[in-house]
Amino acid sequence: MNIRILNSREDLNATAAAVIASLLLNKPQAMLGLATGSTPIGIYRQLVEMYRKGQVSFARAYSVNLDEYVGLPPEHPQSYRSFMNEHLFQHIDIPLAHTRVPDGNAADLAAECAAHEQAILDHGPVDVQLLGIGHNGHIGFNEPGQGLKGATHVVDLEEGTRAANARFFGNIADVPKQAVTMGVGTILKAKQIILVAFGADKADIVKQAFTGPVTTECPASLLQCHPNVLILLDQEAGGWLI
Ligand code: PGA
């Protein structure tokens, strides 16, 4: 793993965006694995700015998202499809038909999970997968446990995860109890993985994930087994290394 601690969140966003932009320059039809939550917002803002300046094009790119809440229609303001449209897709030239966010409102969720895997097979593999990390060590919505699933699946969200995400909904009762998520196997098939974390509240879990044992009790620790991982931290999240 290549672990970098950067001076500011701006540096962190610019570094992650630069990796994605240079990938697209070399491989315009690349498949991007995208994430939601607070962490990637600044990276997407940076990519939009680079696009507006003519420094990057997404016209031939494909994207696949990590996860989506079960039971929210795509047009729901808190769905991850809405998040991606709002923070990235509507500001750049990626054809919407090239973007895939799981449909958490699908009548047949098992078929939807299989379709997500198939989309990655059709246009992938994922060239670069962007990840955040949950306070419990989750990546995507792969929550800690005695075992983890490899492929895209439906998962029950931990109460802590629902509480952390209640800030987007205003009320924890409105946070869905389940999600569709890429499995850890799907994530680990990406050619390159960039995990980004900022803030002092992520310092403990970052230390545990990348200096502790590889264990399903901390799903992010499995990244230690991947040959091409870039971990980007700000000073607070990487405080244990300084
Ligand atoms: P955050 O979420 O970016 O909103 O902190 C990260 C995650 O839960 O994976």
Side-chain angles (χ1 to χ4, degrees):
M1 285 179 304
N2 178 6
I3 301 183
R4 292 187 58 192
I5 300 185
L6 297 154
N7 284 328
S8 67
R9 281 190 201 179
E10 288 68 36
D11 287 351
L12 201 145
N13 293 335
T15 304
V19 173
I20 292 171
S22 71
L23 165 69
L24 288 168
L25 282 179
N26 289 316
K27 186 179 178 187
Q29 75 283 19
M31 179 175 253
L32 309 176
L34 300 176
T36 52
S38 300
T39 306
I41 290 177
I43 300 169
Y44 297 152
R45 200 179 301 128
Q46 182 78 25
L47 285 170
V48 168
E49 207 175 307
M50 294 173 86
Y51 166 70
R52 286 189 178 141
K53 288 181 181 158
Q55 293 167 348
V56 64
S57 170
F58 301 79
R60 293 175 58 201
Y62 288 84
S63 76
V64 65
N65 263 76
L66 282 169
D67 45 20
E68 177 61 285
Y69 291 113
V70 166
L72 296 192
E75 59 279 6
H76 187 286
Q78 296 310 331
S79 76
Y80 286 165
R81 163 53 74 178
S82 293
F83 176 103
M84 291 309 303
N85 289 347
E86 178 188 338
H87 291 285
L88 187 63
F89 298 151
Q90 72 185 30
H91 308 290
I92 60 173
D93 58 348
I94 193 166
L96 274 186
H98 285 200
T99 69
R100 192 171 211 290
V101 180
D103 180 0
N105 211 27
D108 183 344
L109 286 172
E112 177 58 19
C113 292
H116 204 58
E117 292 287 326
Q118 190 60 47
I120 297 170
L121 288 175
D122 289 346
H123 301 292
V126 170
D127 289 283
V128 63
Q129 175 68 57
L130 202 53
L131 293 178
I133 182 170
H135 294 102
N136 61 2
H138 73 204
I139 46 175
F141 272 134
N142 292 281
E143 303 283 37
Q146 288 186 339
L148 291 171
K149 291 211 169 108
T152 300
H153 61 287
V154 175
V155 65
D156 294 331
L157 299 177
E158 281 192 357
E159 280 312 295
T161 297
R162 294 183 65 238
N165 289 3
R167 69 191 192 278
F168 298 111
F169 288 82
N171 184 344
I172 190 168
D174 294 334
V175 183
K177 297 197 161 141
Q178 289 188 311
V180 171
T181 184
M182 281 188 198
V184 285
T186 323
I187 292 171
L188 290 170
K189 280 181 205 149
K191 288 198 206 165
Q192 181 179 15
I193 294 174
I194 306 178
L195 183 140
V196 182
F198 53 70
D201 58 313
K202 295 281 174 78
D204 282 348
I205 194 64
V206 163
K207 177 176 183 190
Q208 196 183 316
F210 305 122
T211 67
V214 175
T215 164
T216 59
E217 297 293 348
C218 179
S221 69
L222 272 77
L223 299 181
Q224 294 183 40
C225 304
H226 190 281
N228 190 1
V229 178
L230 175 62
I231 313 272
L232 297 176
L233 308 172
D234 72 350
Q235 305 271 332
E236 287 78 23
W240 50 277
L241 268 181
I242 299 171

